[in-house]
């Protein structure tokens, strides 16, 4: 990659961070608005984020981004100066501006132009808020244009150009430096050096002001310089040499071959920059400079931005490298298993030293693996923040007022899982706002606060990640859902469905409750797409609703996509793996515990609960008849919504960590199979998805029906 | 020995650009992430010139200039301020606080190198 491409990449990476910081900051200001006290440094940090984006964007010629960032920054600048007190309305526009800024960054990254009038609308709104920027922006533009067109225009005309080029001008320069010129790090020698590059220079120095050695202050200035310059350059170039020392010296540049205009101009400039005053100030009282604005920020590490003052040391690593490492560690774990097996086969495992070393090796391999996995783990915070925007947009489009809250947003999840959660979560949030929340009038009528609440939370629960989207809306309209499902032929008209089953009809393909297709949730995809996206991640979705109180959709996800704790089992001579997380307990049933229920179904009584038995051998076609009860080992599994099954297998071999090798990319999705893995002996084993297996086996028997059966029998 | 430049900017993008441009210009570059980081690196690195952004967390560019000018060892050190085009008043302020000169962002590589050469020995 070329250096500029690399820097470009850095820029967009940094933009992502800055946008995140911007969102953070805006929320903090929101909080401040609510509490009645907005932290000035937070506003400054927000300003800085936008300013940095603008600075980088300018370097890459992203004009739309620069222009918009400038408008946004101007409002923040006014806020920073205390001339604009942020209130809810102002913050609303700021949030939307941040969203648009993020869109512009994305557009810049993809090298496309953002269509639509959002930007223009927002710029207008920003101008209204800031008051001064509409004019500032354009006048600055003008002044830049003017600055460019003002001087060279006449000179750069082709006629003038050929005429003027060979002409030499003689300039006479009088320069009386003040002490501040030297104290600012400038030096007359630098100026002379530059003048020499312009042409022929004759210099004379007036040293008459030089005091006696005793009285001399080495930080003061005593010389007067007269310089004759013969050059083909224009007066402006000569003046440019003194750009940095303007105001730190008495300067007189006169052209002796008068092309009249430039000399007039120079005199003018001499007038408008009265050199003596600031010069004396600077020399006599070096501390009279304005105090640094951030003096306070330096000492305090207490506020949020202060967190930057003591950051944890980090390195940036190419993700490919991490993935390669994870892959290799996966192979290492497999290799360790192979080695153990070999040693076992050779009958050497009873050698104490060997067994100890092997156990250590196993633990080490596992620790390494966990540490490497931790590298990929990221907080869900940025994901949640993106959702804040979705809520805002959805609320605006549907004309509802929605507050967005998050909980436990520091929960860490594998990076890939987070990335792939964006679409399904977006869809769920849109749904929650669009379908979940009632209209304002309905809410008021129901005695609820007129502002609806969308809550997004994350938590670690028994080796998995649980993400919940809740709304405090009206809950699922079950009669309506049932009616639609019946009309669409998704359920038979005489089916008796439990509430939770009706709720979960929402996830069936082809289901949509919107009477008219709303442009929010109805983007041609239903909640079934959400479900399948989550399932692809090894996760499950569940929905719970209370009429009048609201709806909660929960996603349960694995912590990582790379390894899994599995129980290795024998199914009709085939080795298979069942995820430990799904298994509640294992049991060897007695004949009396098993009841036949119809020709094909058996149930097992577990502590007075009847649980349907699913013979994995039959499900996967490894045998045609269910095995004898006496040979069975049952794995009791439970789904997130509390339904249980017993998976019947021939034998349990082992419990171990297996490296997940996806089937989807190389083969395709097999219902009931989550993935595959390579075992210690080099053989391949399928990893079972218990829930899918249960459904593959036909409708799951309702536990209440079983209870009924229990009473009958 | 090549000229040593300490470049202070809180934007990683700008830092990388400065590093790239200055290194290719033959300068020995050390980067700092904010004013305080820059001032802390000053003593050890002993630069021939400092380039600093203005608005940074912890300590801003004015703070850097102040700190440098207050230190006897560095009070003549050339300091270039990085400003955006819109900040005429910042230039003035930078000058008042003791900056040697300024560079307008986004900077032109040649101009940056030229300006540094112009104000270093």
């Amino acid at each position: 990659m070329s250096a500029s491409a690399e820097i470009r990449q850095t820029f967009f990476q940094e933009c992502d961070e800055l946008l995140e910081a911007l969102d953070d900051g805006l929320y903090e200001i929101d909080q401040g608005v609510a509490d009645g006290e907005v932290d000035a440094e937070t506003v400054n940090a927000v300003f800085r984020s936008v300013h940095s984006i603008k600075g980088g964007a300018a370097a890459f010629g992203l004009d739309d981004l620069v222009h918009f960032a400038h408008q946004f920054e101007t409002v923040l600048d006014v806020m920073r100066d205390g001339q604009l007190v942020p209130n809810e309305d102002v913050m609303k526009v700021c949030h939307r501006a941040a969203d648009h800024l993020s869109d512009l960054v994305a557009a810049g990254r993809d090298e496309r132009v953002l269509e639509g009038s959002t930007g223009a609308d927002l710029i207008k709104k920003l101008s209204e808020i800031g008051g001064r920027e509409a004019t500032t922006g354009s006048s600055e533009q003008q002044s830049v244009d003017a600055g460019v067109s003002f001087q060279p225009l006449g000179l750069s005309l082709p006629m003038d150009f050929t005429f003027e080029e060979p002409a030499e001008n003689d300039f006479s320069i009088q320069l009386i430096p003040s002490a501040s010129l030297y104290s600012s790090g400038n030096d007359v020698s630098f100026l002379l050096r530059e003048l020499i590059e312009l042409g022929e220079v004759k210099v004379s120095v007036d040293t008459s002001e030089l005091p006696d050695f005793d009285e001399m202050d080495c930080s003061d200035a005593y010389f007067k310089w007269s310089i004759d310059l013969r050059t083909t350059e224009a007066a402006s170039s000569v003046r440019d040499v003194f750009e940095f020392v303007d105001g730190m010296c008495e300067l007189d540049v006169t052209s002796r071959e008068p092309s009249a205009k430039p000399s007039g101009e120079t005199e003018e400039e001499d007038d408008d920059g009265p050199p003596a005053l600031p010069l004396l100030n600077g020399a006599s009282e070096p501390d009279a400079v304005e105090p640094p604005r951030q003096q306070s920020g330096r000492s305090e590490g207490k506020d949020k931005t202060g967190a930057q003052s003591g950051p944890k040391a980090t390195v940036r690593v190419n993700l490919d490298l991490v993935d390669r490492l994870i892959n290799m560690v996966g192979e290492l774990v497999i290799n360790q298993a192979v080695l153990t097996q070999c040693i076992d086969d050779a009958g050497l495992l009873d050698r104490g030293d060997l067994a100890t070393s092997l156990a250590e090796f196993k633990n080490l391999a596992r620790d390494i693996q966990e540490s490497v996995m931790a590298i990929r783990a990221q907080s869900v915070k940025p994901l949640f923040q993106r959702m804040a925007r979705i809520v805002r947009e959805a609320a605006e489009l549907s004309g509802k007022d929605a507050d967005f809250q998050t909980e436990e947003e520091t929960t860490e999840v594998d990076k890939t899982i987070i990335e792939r959660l964006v679409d399904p979560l977006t869809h769920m949030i849109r749904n929650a706002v669009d379908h979940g929340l009632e209209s304002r009038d309905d809410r008021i009528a129901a005695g609820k606060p007129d502002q609806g609440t969308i809550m997004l939370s994350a938590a670690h629960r028994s080796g998995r990640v649980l993400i919940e989207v809740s709304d405090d809306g009206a809950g699922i309209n079950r009669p309506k859902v049932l009616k639609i499902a019946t009309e669409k032929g998704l359920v038979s008209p005489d089916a008796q469905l439990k509430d939770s089953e009706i709720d979960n009809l929402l996830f069936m393909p082809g289901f949509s409750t919107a009477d008219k297709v709303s442009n929010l949730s109805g983007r041609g995809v239903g909640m079934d797409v959400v479900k399948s996206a989550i399932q692809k991640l090894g996760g499950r979705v569940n929905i719970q609703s209370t009429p009048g109180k609201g709806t909660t959709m929960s996603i349960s996800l694995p912590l990582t996509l790379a390894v899994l704790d599995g129980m290795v089992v024998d199914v009709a001579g085939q080795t298979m793996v069942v995820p430990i997380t799904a298994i509640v307990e294992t049991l060897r049933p007695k004949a009396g515990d098993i009841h036949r229920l119809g020709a094909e179904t058996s149930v097992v009584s577990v502590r007075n609960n009847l649980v349907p038995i699913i013979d994995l051998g039959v499900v996967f076609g490894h045998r045609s008849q269910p095995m004898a009860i006496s040979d069975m080992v049952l794995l009791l599994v439970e789904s997130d919504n509390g339904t249980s099954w017993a998976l019947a297998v021939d034998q349990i071999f082992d419990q171990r960590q297996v490296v997940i090798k996806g089937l989807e990319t190389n083969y395709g999705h097999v219902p009931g199979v989550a993935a595959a893995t390579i075992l210690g002996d080099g053989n391949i084993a399928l990893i079972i998805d218990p829930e899918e297996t249960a459904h593959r086996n036909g409708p799951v028997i309702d536990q209440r029906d079983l209870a009924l059966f229990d009473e009958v029998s | 020995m090549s000229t040593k430049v300490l470049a202070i900017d809180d934007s990683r993008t700008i830092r990388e650009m400065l590093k790239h441009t200055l290194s290719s210009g033959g300068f020995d570059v050390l980067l700092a992430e904010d004013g305080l980081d820059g001032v802390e690196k000053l003593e050890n690195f002993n630069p021939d010139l400092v380039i600093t952004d203005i608005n940074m967390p912890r300590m801003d560019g004015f703070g850097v200039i102040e700190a440098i000018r207050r230190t006897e060892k560095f009070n003549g050190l050339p300091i270039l301020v990085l400003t955006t085009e819109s900040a005429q008043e910042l230039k003035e302020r930078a000058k008042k606080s003791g900056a040697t000169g300024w560079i307008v962002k986004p900077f032109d590589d040649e101009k940056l190198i030229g300006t540094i050469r112009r104000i270093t020995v």
Side-chain angles (χ1 to χ4, degrees), chain A residues 34-88:
Chain A
D35 299 346
E37 193 185 349
V38 176
D39 177 31
E41 176 50 30
T42 307
V43 179
N44 200 12
V46 164
F47 171 87
R48 217 156 38 219
S49 297
V50 178
H51 187 74
S52 287
I53 291 175
K54 178 177 122 179
F60 293 104
L62 303 168
D63 296 339
D64 289 354
L65 184 52
V66 173
H67 183 60
F68 187 79
H70 177 73
Q71 297 292 340
F72 192 6
E73 176 192 276
T74 310
V75 168
L76 295 169
D77 197 24
V78 181
M79 199 188 289
R80 199 168 62 145
D81 291 349
Q83 292 172 34
L84 171 71
V85 179
N87 58 28
E88 276 183 34

Side-chain angles (χ1 to χ4, degrees), chain B:
Chain B
M1 208 175 71
S2 52
T3 305
K4 294 204 284 187
V5 179
L6 176 63
I8 313 172
D9 197 306
D10 61 329
S11 159
R12 199 160 69 241
T13 309
I14 303 292
R15 281 203 302 275
E16 269 190 37
M17 288 176 140
L18 287 169
K19 170 105 185 164
H20 176 70
T21 303
L22 296 176
S23 303
S24 61
F27 296 104
D28 183 4
V29 192
L30 183 69
L31 300 175
E33 294 178 13
D34 58 46
L36 204 55
D37 187 28
V39 171
E40 280 166 4
K41 283 175 172 162
L42 199 65
E43 178 69 36
N44 273 337
F45 186 55
N46 203 6
D48 302 303
L49 175 127
V50 173
I51 298 179
T52 181
D53 186 26
I54 290 293
N55 196 342
M56 294 180 287
R58 299 207 297 165
M59 183 195 279
D60 68 5
F62 300 120
V64 172
I65 297 169
E66 277 232 315
I68 292 176
R69 294 285 176 250
R70 264 201 313 262
T71 320
E72 197 174 339
K73 180 175 171 193
F74 295 114
N75 66 11
L77 187 65
I79 306 171
L80 280 179
V81 166
L82 282 166
T83 69
T84 49
E85 74 279 38
S86 59
Q88 183 58 44
E89 73 275 22
L90 279 186
K91 286 182 192 171
E92 290 304 318
R93 229 182 119 188
K95 203 150 58 171
K96 275 187 197 164
S97 65
T100 312
W102 55 85
I103 294 284
V104 174
K105 280 195 278 194
F107 51 81
D108 173 77
D109 288 4
E110 280 177 28
K111 180 127 199 257
L112 173 64
I113 292 172
T115 307
I116 295 176
R117 296 240 160 89
R118 194 169 134 189
I119 57 169
T120 45
V121 180

Side-chain angles (χ1 to χ4, degrees), chain A residues 137-159:
Chain A
S138 52
S139 78
E140 180 191 319
Q141 210 66 34
Q142 279 166 6
S143 74
V144 168
D145 289 349
V148 171
S149 59
F150 193 56
Q151 289 157 329
L153 197 62
L155 300 175
S156 64
L157 284 172
M159 253 181 64

Side-chain angles (χ1 to χ4, degrees), chain A residues 22-264:
Chain A
L22 172 62
D23 268 348
D24 272 353
L26 288 176
Y27 275 110
E28 246 175 79
I29 298 174
D30 282 345
Q31 202 59 51
V33 169
D35 299 346
E37 193 185 349
V38 176
D39 177 31
E41 176 50 30
T42 307
V43 179
N44 200 12
V46 164
F47 171 87
R48 217 156 38 219
S49 297
V50 178
H51 187 74
S52 287
I53 291 175
K54 178 177 122 179
F60 293 104
L62 303 168
D63 296 339
D64 289 354
L65 184 52
V66 173
H67 183 60
F68 187 79
H70 177 73
Q71 297 292 340
F72 192 6
E73 176 192 276
T74 310
V75 168
L76 295 169
D77 197 24
V78 181
M79 199 188 289
R80 199 168 62 145
D81 291 349
Q83 292 172 34
L84 171 71
V85 179
N87 58 28
E88 276 183 34
D89 291 335
V90 168
M91 291 314 293
K92 220 170 207 168
V93 177
C94 285
H95 278 295
R96 293 198 45 208
D99 293 344
H100 187 66
L101 196 66
S102 157
D103 287 345
L104 283 167
V105 168
R109 184 187 336 234
D110 303 343
E111 292 176 9
R112 60 190 160 80
V113 175
L114 213 54
E115 305 290 345
S117 57
T118 319
D121 292 350
L122 278 169
I123 285 180
K124 209 168 137 236
K125 280 199 178 124
L126 289 169
S127 320
E128 284 163 17
I129 294 174
R132 74 182 192 206
E133 64 284 341
T135 45
T136 305
S138 52
S139 78
E140 180 191 319
Q141 210 66 34
Q142 279 166 6
S143 74
V144 168
D145 289 349
V148 171
S149 59
F150 193 56
Q151 289 157 329
L153 197 62
L155 300 175
S156 64
L157 284 172
M159 253 181 64
D160 281 356
F161 189 63
T162 44
F163 187 65
E164 201 245 354
E165 194 194 31
E168 294 200 326
N169 290 322
D170 282 334
F171 293 96
S172 169
I173 303 165
Q174 298 296 319
L175 174 69
I176 309 172
S178 72
S180 65
L181 185 146
Y182 294 102
S183 68
S184 73
N186 280 291
D187 199 298
V188 173
S189 68
F190 299 161
L191 301 171
L192 292 176
R193 199 165 60 190
E194 229 179 317
L195 287 173
I196 288 167
E197 292 197 354
L198 294 181
E200 207 177 305
V201 174
K202 273 184 208 149
V203 187
S204 59
V205 190
D206 176 0
T207 58
S208 57
E209 299 282 320
L210 197 66
D212 284 345
F213 195 78
D214 298 341
E215 296 163 25
M216 206 189 301
D217 177 356
C218 67
S219 67
D220 209 346
Y222 301 103
F223 291 172
K224 293 177 184 170
W225 303 77
S226 304
I227 305 150
D228 290 336
L229 169 68
R230 171 166 291 185
T231 176
T232 56
E233 299 285 336
S236 59
S237 306
V238 179
R239 285 215 128 267
D240 278 351
V241 170
F242 299 96
E243 187 188 14
F244 290 163
V245 296
D246 184 26
M248 299 170 177
C249 56
E250 283 177 49
L251 178 67
D252 182 38
V253 181
T254 42
S255 173
R256 273 192 250 148
E257 291 277 336
S259 61
K261 203 164 138 201
S263 78

Side-chain angles (χ1 to χ4, degrees), chain A residues 461-648:
Chain A
R461 200 151 302 165
S462 56
R464 290 177 77 85
V465 181
L466 192 69
I467 292 178
E468 290 191 337
V469 179
S470 334
D471 63 65
D472 65 345
I476 292 173
N477 185 341
R478 293 192 180 118
K480 189 177 171 189
V481 167
L482 195 58
K483 182 165 161 272
I484 292 169
T486 315
E487 278 169 11
K488 296 199 171 175
L490 298 172
V491 289
S492 76
D494 51 350
Q496 293 297 313
L497 296 180
K498 288 184 302 173
D499 287 350
S500 67
E501 283 169 326
I502 297 174
D503 293 350
N504 281 290
L505 285 175
L506 294 179
F507 291 117
M508 287 190 79
F511 189 93
S512 169
T513 55
D515 293 330
K516 54 178 195 291
V517 175
S518 106
N519 58 348
L520 269 186
S521 348
R523 289 200 174 168
V525 293
M527 290 293 282
D528 58 313
V529 177
V530 169
K531 186 172 186 175
S532 68
I534 301 290
Q535 276 175 340
K536 278 201 185 116
L537 290 171
R540 283 186 279 277
V541 209
N542 192 30
I543 196 162
Q544 276 177 321
S545 181
T546 315
K549 292 273 170 60
T551 306
T552 298
M553 288 179 275
S554 25
I555 306 172
S556 150
L557 289 161
L559 281 177
T560 161
L561 296 174
V563 287
L564 157 137
D565 276 310
M567 187 167 279
V568 186
V569 297
D570 173 34
V571 176
Q574 300 284 321
T575 308
M576 291 187 161
V577 178
V578 182
I580 290 278
T581 48
I583 300 173
V584 182
E585 63 177 290
T586 61
L587 47 123
R588 192 175 273 281
K590 297 187 201 75
D593 295 338
I594 308 252
H595 308 278
R596 288 233 159 251
L597 195 74
E600 309 233 309
T601 318
S602 301
V603 293
V604 58
S605 162
V606 183
R607 287 184 291 277
N608 293 329
N609 271 330
L610 291 180
V611 179
I613 297 174
I614 294 164
D615 187 322
L616 284 183
V618 176
V619 172
F620 290 104
H622 295 313
R623 61 177 150 241
S624 54
Q625 290 300 312
M627 64 180 128
I629 293 165
S630 55
D631 299 335
M632 268 185 196
V633 176
L634 295 178
L635 312 179
L636 199 65
V637 298
E638 193 172 62
S639 80
D640 290 331
N641 61 14
T643 323
S644 304
W645 310 275
L647 301 178

